[in-house]
């Protein structure tokens, strides 16, 4: 899809449809140009709420075009999330009618302030809804092209509109890149594949790259990471990218869980739904996606990005339940369930990144089914050792669209992950509060002086339903925009 900013409206544009955003609290009787608006809106039960839309019954303008009205909700609530979702809804509705080109007349109040943010969000809503993962569909007739041209009609004299479009395009490309990695199957996306993607990013944007193989990881003492990797023929890769900016005042660490497939290992998962575990590298995809966006946007802040990429497989060489392993930190871990593998790989990744002079660390991981049970498919859980840091990320998430909810790192629950014969156990003795005990396990490997936030994205990372406006049966690219925006705010 190509998006253009355009001052001319309708008459001079060769589009098939015009989209209007309507606020819930706008005066419907004043739609002089649409004599039947009130009647038709009533029939469609359209009140201008977010999520509502209807096509006007007749074509209007010259040349004749279809007219789509989309609800924007209340003026006072309008922000990037509303902009993103209403644009996404417009794309779905236009696609239902196989419309290939459209123009969007921005309501004058829609982009009144926060122009960059609003135009960026609209761009994201358009591109991300219009793009579908179709790489493995060989029947050309079944491949949908989506909308080809979209004109956003605004007064162009304001450079902020251009800027918003550019940022929106960069963020969307980065999210699509992450989605692609997540949705692509694990027979293609191996640890080595992720390493090669990281290398391509380093070439494209001048990042420093370090890829470590099994031997090098062994030298570093990464016993926890390697124990998980042991069962697979596809060898592990420890991936480290650095972005250094002139005049940067801070260094942020990004850590992504990079299980390119999680079968559970010897503690094998049930067959049903196991295929979705190709998405257990969604944290890795998010940090790579964020690096791609930041390579383009070049914020004035240093970033260290780390992924401990491997596969969790059962085999004669796989780690056994009951094993006691030694992590890079020197701490020992009793492994009572080989399916709680993410925290083992992250323990070493966290130890490694804390040696890179970072001021703060954010890890993203599809860590627990428990978090998915607690918060559902649209919201990720966030925990951390510094409340101001967590609050700041919560604030950013409201703009980026990656919904977060804080869970407490209740220190009383540490008793559940104690091991009688090692420093810590990789699972809890009780069923309850699994997202929190996983967070506490990670905290065990984090030094107090470093601000740390852990985001459990098990729910929103990947979905096989078709409900949300912004994505469908594929990887979501959750977290890419959150991390990119966080880095930009620290610029
Ligand atoms: N990758 C899974 C968590 C997961 C589950 C992500 C569902 C996305 C959707 C993780 O490695 C895992 O298996 N966790 C176990 C931990 C348990 C054994 C303590 C879980 O949540 O069941
Ligand atoms: Zn697992
Ligand atoms: Zn896992």
């Amino acid at each position: 899809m190509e998006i253009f900013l355009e001052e001319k409206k309708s008459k001079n544009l060769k589009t098939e449809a015009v989209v209007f955003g309507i606020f819930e609290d706008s005066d419907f009787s004043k739609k002089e140009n649409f004599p039947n608006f009130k009647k038709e809106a009533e029939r469609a039960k359209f009140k201008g709420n977010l999520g509502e839309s209807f096509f006007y019954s007749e074509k209007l303008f010259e040349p004749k075009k279809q007219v789509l009205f989309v609800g924007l909700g209340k003026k006072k609530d309008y922000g990037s999330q509303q902009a993103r979702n209403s644009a996404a809804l417009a794309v779905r509705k236009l696609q239902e009618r196989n419309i290939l080109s459209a123009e969007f007349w921005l309501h004058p109040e829609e982009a009144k302030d926060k122009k960059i943010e609003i135009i960026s969000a609209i761009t994201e809503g358009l591109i991300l809804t219009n793009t579908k993962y179709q790489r493995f569909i060989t029947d050309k007739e079944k491949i949908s092209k989506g909308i080809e041209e979209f004109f956003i009609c605004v007064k162009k004299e304001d450079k902020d509109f251009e800027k918003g479009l550019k940022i929106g395009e960069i963020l969307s490309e980065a999210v699509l890149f992450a989605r692609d990695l997540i949705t692509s199957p694990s027979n293609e996306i191996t640890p080595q594949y992720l390493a090669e993607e990281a290398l391509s990013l380093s070439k494209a944007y001048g990042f420093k790259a370090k890829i470590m193989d099994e031997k090098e990881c062994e030298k570093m003492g990464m016993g926890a990471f390697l124990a998980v990797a042991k069962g697979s023929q596809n060898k592990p890769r420890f991936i480290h990218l650095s972005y250094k900016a002139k005049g940067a005042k801070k260094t942020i660490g990004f850590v992504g869980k990079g299980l390119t497939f999680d079968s559970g290992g010897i503690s094998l998962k049930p067959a049903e739904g196991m295929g979705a575990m190709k998405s257990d590298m969604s944290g890795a995809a998010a940090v790579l996606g964020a690096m791609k966006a930041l390579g383009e946007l070049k914020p004035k802040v240093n970033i260290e990005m780390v992924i401990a990429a491997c596969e969790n497989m059962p085999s004669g060489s796989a780690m056994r339940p009951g094993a006691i392993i030694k992590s890079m930190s020197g701490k020992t871990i009793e492994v009572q369930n080989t399916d709680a593998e993410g925290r083992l790989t992250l323990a070493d990744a966290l130890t490694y990144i804390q040696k890179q002079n970072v001021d703060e660390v954010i890890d993203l991981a599809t860590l627990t089914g428990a978090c998915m049970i607690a918060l559902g498919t649209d919201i990720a859980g966030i925990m951390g050792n510094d409340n101001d840091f967590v609050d700041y990320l919560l604030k950013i998430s409201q703009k980026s669209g990656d919904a977060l909810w804080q869970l407490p790192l209740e220190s009383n629950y540490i008793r559940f992950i104690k091991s009688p014969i090692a420093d810590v156990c990789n699972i809890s003795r009780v069923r309850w509060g699994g997202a929190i005990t996983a967070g506490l396990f990670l905290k065990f490997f984090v030094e107090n002086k470093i601000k740390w936030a852990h985001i459990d994205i098990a729910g929103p990372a990947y979905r096989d339903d078709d409900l949300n406006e912004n994505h469908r049966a594929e990887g979501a690219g959750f977290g890419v925009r959150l991390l990119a925006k966080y880095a930009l705010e620290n610029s």
Side-chain angles (χ1 to χ4, degrees), residues 257 262 280 341 366:
K257 172 173 171 182
D262 178 14
D280 214 19
E341 85 298 336
T366 45

Side-chain angles (χ1 to χ4, degrees), residues 51 85 90 147 188 215 279 310 375 377 388 418 483:
N85 285 338
I147 301 168
E188 184 177 307
K215 275 220 178 78
S279 67
C310 68
L375 299 175
T377 55
D388 291 337
K418 289 210 160 123
L483 294 179

Side-chain angles (χ1 to χ4, degrees), residues 5-264:
L5 292 176
E6 191 51 76
E7 275 186 58
K8 295 175 281 187
K9 287 181 187 169
S10 193
K11 264 193 217 134
N12 307 302
L13 290 175
K14 279 201 186 107
T15 56
E16 295 171 45
V18 181
V19 183
F20 290 98
I22 305 275
F23 282 106
E24 195 184 319
D25 32 14
S26 63
D27 185 358
F28 285 7
S29 61
K30 286 212 178 120
K31 298 265 168 291
E32 301 89 356
N33 297 331
F34 312 103
N36 301 329
F37 182 88
K38 212 163 166 256
K39 203 173 73 201
E40 292 192 14
E42 257 167 36
R43 187 158 21 139
K45 300 201 166 34
F46 178 91
K47 293 199 171 71
N49 288 329
L50 211 63
E52 292 177 353
S53 69
F54 76 100
F55 276 100
Y56 202 62
S57 60
E58 43 177 323
K59 287 191 176 182
L60 296 175
F61 308 107
E62 259 342 301
K64 293 277 179 232
K65 300 177 185 201
Q66 307 204 42
V67 178
L68 173 66
F69 293 101
V70 184
L72 301 177
K74 288 202 175 68
K75 271 180 203 159
K76 71 166 176 48
D77 299 334
Y78 188 79
S80 19
Q81 196 51 8
Q82 287 72 11
R84 198 176 283 121
N85 285 338
S86 54
L89 178 63
V91 170
R92 291 186 164 226
K93 290 294 156 189
L94 296 169
Q95 280 182 344
E96 277 171 20
R97 297 202 170 184
N98 297 314
I99 289 166
L100 297 178
S101 60
E103 56 196 275
F104 200 163
W105 294 15
L106 229 56
H107 191 288
E109 299 211 33
E110 233 182 302
K112 216 174 56 186
D113 33 49
K114 300 192 236 155
K115 290 191 186 77
I116 300 182
E117 229 180 283
I118 298 292
I119 296 293
S120 170
I122 290 175
T123 305
E124 294 162 39
L126 295 176
I127 297 177
L128 294 175
T129 312
N130 198 47
T131 317
K132 232 169 123 180
Y133 184 89
Q134 307 184 96
R135 191 183 304 164
F136 290 96
I137 302 195
T138 60
D139 182 348
K140 287 209 170 63
E141 300 214 329
K142 293 220 167 97
I143 294 180
S144 59
K145 284 210 274 182
I147 301 168
E148 287 164 358
E149 286 187 316
F150 216 104
F151 297 87
I152 304 176
C153 298
V154 286
K155 283 238 181 314
K156 261 207 285 198
E157 85 260 8
D158 199 326
K159 279 270 168 287
D160 279 358
F161 288 124
E162 301 270 359
K163 221 168 161 184
L165 175 62
K166 187 88 198 112
I167 293 176
E169 284 175 336
I170 288 170
L171 292 177
S172 302
E173 283 308 314
V175 172
L176 288 176
F177 168 68
R179 284 187 184 179
D180 241 59
L181 288 173
I182 299 166
T183 314
S184 295
S186 65
N187 52 325
E188 184 177 307
I189 311 294
T190 57
Q192 175 60 19
Y193 189 102
L194 288 183
E196 278 162 23
E197 290 289 321
L199 284 174
S200 320
L201 290 179
S202 85
K203 287 211 185 81
Y205 302 115
F207 304 145
K208 206 174 123 205
K210 189 169 177 193
I211 310 290
M212 292 193 271
D213 64 11
E214 227 172 345
K215 275 220 178 78
E216 289 164 282
C217 293
E218 220 172 281
K219 269 196 214 137
M220 301 285 293
M222 295 180 173
F225 169 45
L226 291 176
V228 176
K230 257 177 19 167
S232 176
Q233 303 268 0
N234 291 323
K235 292 301 163 201
R237 293 289 180 265
F238 193 91
I239 303 165
H240 177 188
L241 291 181
S242 309
Y243 164 76
K244 295 254 189 278
K246 271 207 189 88
K249 291 197 188 75
K250 192 195 248 190
T251 302
I252 310 173
F254 292 161
V255 179
K257 172 173 171 182
L259 265 289
T260 56
F261 189 70
D262 178 14
S263 69

Side-chain angles (χ1 to χ4, degrees), residues 280-294:
D280 214 19
M281 37 57 75
S282 296
V287 296
L288 287 170
M291 291 308 280
K292 180 173 162 62
L294 295 173

